[in-house]
Amino acid sequence: MNKKPNVQFDIVAVSQRIDTARRLLDYGKSDFAKQVLNVTRVSYWSIIKESRPPLSWIFLLAEKFDISLRWLIFGEGEIFNKRKNDV
């Protein structure tokens, strides 16, 4: 029987990568919270500081900005997915 490798999931690191994505996309906390995530700045910052981002945020960033799910979740690979016309 083949065992899968032990993959570590670090929710604190995921929260940090979400905030890194915000900065890379050149959003302030308030604008990112309101325009992208549809929450208040206080809610956004509280969730990030407490390291409890909803899974929906991860999928939203991946879909809306073409950010790699692998990078958001595991911190591996390129931040942005390559588009066909970029190759």
Side-chain angles (χ1 to χ4, degrees):
M1 179 185 332
N2 291 337
K3 290 185 177 181
K4 291 184 179 181
N6 186 12
V7 177
Q8 296 292 326
F9 180 77
D10 182 354
I11 194 67
V12 173
V14 172
S15 297
Q16 291 169 346
R17 285 189 286 275
I18 289 171
D19 200 51
T20 297
R22 172 192 64 81
R23 286 181 272 133
L24 286 172
L25 295 167
D26 202 26
Y27 277 96
K29 291 176 192 144
S30 184
D31 288 340
F32 187 72
K34 186 176 181 181
Q35 296 173 12
V36 176
L37 302 175
N38 200 29
V39 297
T40 66
R41 180 189 57 80
V42 173
S43 294
Y44 168 76
W45 198 239
S46 176
I47 288 168
I48 291 299
K49 287 192 131 237
E50 294 174 12
S51 298
R52 53 181 182 87
L55 192 56
S56 62
W57 287 10
I58 294 168
F59 288 118
L60 177 81
L61 291 173
E63 184 177 316
K64 187 169 185 167
F65 298 106
D66 210 23
I67 295 175
S68 165
L69 280 173
R70 186 175 181 153
W71 178 79
L72 278 166
I73 296 171
F74 301 110
E76 298 174 351
E78 298 292 323
I79 296 171
F80 295 97
N81 292 315
K82 292 184 180 178
R83 296 185 183 133
K84 289 180 183 177
N85 58 353
D86 291 342
V87 178

